[in-house]
Amino acid sequence: MIENITVFTDASFCHDTKAGAGACWSRSDEHRHSSVFPLPGLLTSTECEIAAACEGLRRTIEDPKIAELITSQQCRIILVSDCTSVQHALMADVVTDPIAVDIVKQMKSLNLFYRVNHVKAHTNSTTPRSWVNRWCDTRARRLMRTIRSNL
């Protein structure tokens, strides 16, 4: 049986200061992972979204319990993002986006099948998917504001 590992990511970016941050929330059947992280050195909000997705994927597959799961059975990663550029960057026939290349190589080396789903952001929806997207959005924005205030 294939185990699904769902990974939600979102980013927050300040165009004036270039402060960026990301958040991820992941789950398998038995394990959950969440984290927030700075995303320095980026120039656009699109780069920030792609970097948040890649860092969220990396943190998820390197989480000890999820890494153990990945090595013990066949898994599928389902990345959920509110940015369609993430889909384009990670799902291209030949991944050339410099931010995405390494994580795609890492997932392929682990024989992970993955896909990217889009979730509509900033809605009043009460679905679990929208709730998690808001959680990531709020955490990323909070960290970005902290980073920005320290610049």
Side-chain angles (χ1 to χ4, degrees):
M1 185 165 97
I2 296 176
E3 173 92 14
N4 285 330
I5 301 168
T6 306
V7 182
F8 285 81
T9 65
D10 203 3
S12 186
F13 183 76
C14 174
H15 293 279
D16 294 331
T17 64
K18 308 296 186 221
C24 76
W25 183 94
S26 312
R27 72 171 296 273
S28 65
D29 284 344
E30 295 183 16
H31 183 66
R32 285 180 173 64
H33 169 90
S34 62
S35 58
V36 293
F37 37 86
L39 295 168
L42 302 170
L43 300 177
T44 68
S45 58
T46 299
E47 285 183 355
C48 197
E49 289 283 356
I50 294 168
C54 294
E55 181 64 14
L57 286 167
R58 186 191 67 75
R59 286 172 178 248
T60 297
I61 64 179
E62 292 179 359
D63 176 279
K65 290 183 181 174
I66 293 178
E68 182 181 328
L69 178 66
I70 289 169
T71 58
S72 67
Q73 69 183 77
Q74 191 173 11
C75 295
R76 172 177 39 224
I77 301 284
I78 302 166
L79 174 65
V80 183
S81 173
D82 62 8
C83 178
T84 56
S85 293
V86 170
Q87 280 183 306
H88 299 303
L90 291 170
M91 296 303 295
D93 289 336
V94 177
V95 175
T96 58
D97 187 298
I99 298 170
V101 167
D102 288 341
I103 191 64
V104 170
K105 283 181 184 175
Q106 186 177 4
M107 288 192 299
K108 286 183 178 181
S109 74
L110 295 168
N111 293 319
L112 285 171
F113 169 80
Y114 70 95
R115 72 173 194 242
V116 182
N117 290 348
H118 181 257
V119 62
K120 197 167 187 166
H122 310 290
T123 68
N124 291 326
S125 176
T126 57
T127 65
R129 191 177 242 216
S130 294
W131 183 91
V132 174
N133 181 255
R134 278 192 295 279
W135 184 93
C136 289
D137 181 61
T138 301
R139 296 315 184 281
R141 186 173 49 252
R142 187 179 298 156
L143 179 57
M144 182 278 294
R145 287 178 176 165
T146 300
I147 293 166
R148 183 177 61 192
S149 71
N150 291 322
L151 293 176

